[in-house]
Amino acid sequence: MKPWPLNFLLILFLCLFSGDSSGAVPGSYGANPVNLYSFLLNLIKRIPFRPDLAMTGTTFARTILALEGPEREKAILAQFSEGVFPDYLRKLKPVHLSHRFKDRTTVTATIFVMPDYLSIGSDQDFLLIPVNLYTALEIAGQLGFILPTKKMVDQIFQQSNFRLNPQPLPAGSRMRSTAYYLKQNQMIREQRTALGCPLDTLVSGHKKDVVLTNH
């Protein structure tokens, strides 16, 4: 597989399909709310618990300041594999999809998404961390999730509780540096604070999306 440019490979919202043409969850879950709750619990359990002595986002950023490329990706993947997610990312949010065919039949589905982009650290101190495609797919595979499609991303945006304004930093040789990630992370946190945006609410608009596509 041809490598993708790292500056493009920012990941938003690992998603898991949870609906069929009848609107029911696949397998034996059906549309029963109790079964759906059990389904969600099983899905969330795939996300490892954060260790008590896990690094904060700031501490992790310091450990990778001098790293680039594969070495940094390896360090990022190691943290996610150990469960160093902020707790709020485990509070998955439903997003509803529908499609109307030419014969006027409608297919509906519900997906469950993380409320924000992947980040490393704790609820009090986390770092929104871009990853390349290979790391993104590895994380998704470990959790039993998938990356979103274009339609999913569009609906996540439309159904978000808060839509943050993008704040791109100037392009240049440092745009893939950890220092840039830290700067943008702080800008996003300041915007969330100004808007009164709770951590566990669904947000969008502040990062690029990598999507599954046939193109």
Side-chain angles (χ1 to χ4, degrees), residues 84-119:
V84 189
F85 294 82
D87 287 336
Y88 80 91
L89 287 184
R90 294 175 171 82
K91 299 176 181 178
L92 305 182
K93 303 300 179 182
V95 172
H96 307 293
L97 307 175
S98 66
H99 179 76
R100 189 176 180 86
F101 292 96
K102 292 181 179 180
D103 64 1
R104 297 186 179 182
T105 60
T106 299
V107 174
T108 62
T110 299
I111 60 174
F112 293 91
V113 303
M114 288 183 175
D116 198 359
Y117 290 89
L118 284 177
S119 56

Side-chain angles (χ1 to χ4, degrees), residues 184-195:
Q184 190 172 59
N185 190 76
Q186 182 59 33
M187 293 166 64
I188 292 170
R189 293 202 71 161
E190 289 173 356
Q191 186 177 168
R192 291 187 69 132
T193 299
L195 292 172

Side-chain angles (χ1 to χ4, degrees), residues 80-201:
F80 285 127
S81 297
E82 293 172 8
V84 189
F85 294 82
D87 287 336
Y88 80 91
L89 287 184
R90 294 175 171 82
K91 299 176 181 178
L92 305 182
K93 303 300 179 182
V95 172
H96 307 293
L97 307 175
S98 66
H99 179 76
R100 189 176 180 86
F101 292 96
K102 292 181 179 180
D103 64 1
R104 297 186 179 182
T105 60
T106 299
V107 174
T108 62
T110 299
I111 60 174
F112 293 91
V113 303
M114 288 183 175
D116 198 359
Y117 290 89
L118 284 177
S119 56
I120 290 174
S122 65
D123 284 2
Q124 294 72 37
D125 184 346
F126 60 85
L127 173 65
L128 293 163
I129 187 71
V131 298
N132 68 24
L133 177 62
Y134 305 103
T135 304
L137 291 172
E138 178 64 25
I139 295 169
Q142 288 183 11
L143 300 180
F145 289 15
I146 64 168
L147 302 186
T149 64
K150 180 178 181 295
K151 181 167 184 174
M152 290 178 185
V153 167
D154 289 342
Q155 286 304 307
I156 288 167
F157 182 79
Q158 292 297 326
Q159 298 178 43
S160 290
N161 301 102
F162 288 85
R163 299 171 191 165
L164 306 183
N165 293 323
Q167 303 178 86
L169 294 170
S173 59
R174 298 179 62 243
M175 67 185 302
R176 294 195 296 269
S177 69
T178 303
Y180 248 44
Y181 299 163
L182 276 166
K183 174 64 176 176
Q184 190 172 59
N185 190 76
Q186 182 59 33
M187 293 166 64
I188 292 170
R189 293 202 71 161
E190 289 173 356
Q191 186 177 168
R192 291 187 69 132
T193 299
L195 292 172
C197 177
L199 281 182
D200 61 353
T201 193

Side-chain angles (χ1 to χ4, degrees), residues 51-95:
D52 292 337
L53 300 179
M55 284 192 283
T56 65
T58 300
T59 301
F60 176 70
R62 290 172 182 159
T63 68
I64 62 170
L65 275 175
L67 301 181
E68 295 182 357
E71 289 302 314
R72 183 170 59 190
E73 293 296 314
K74 182 178 179 181
I76 292 169
L77 180 58
Q79 292 299 305
F80 285 127
S81 297
E82 293 172 8
V84 189
F85 294 82
D87 287 336
Y88 80 91
L89 287 184
R90 294 175 171 82
K91 299 176 181 178
L92 305 182
K93 303 300 179 182
V95 172

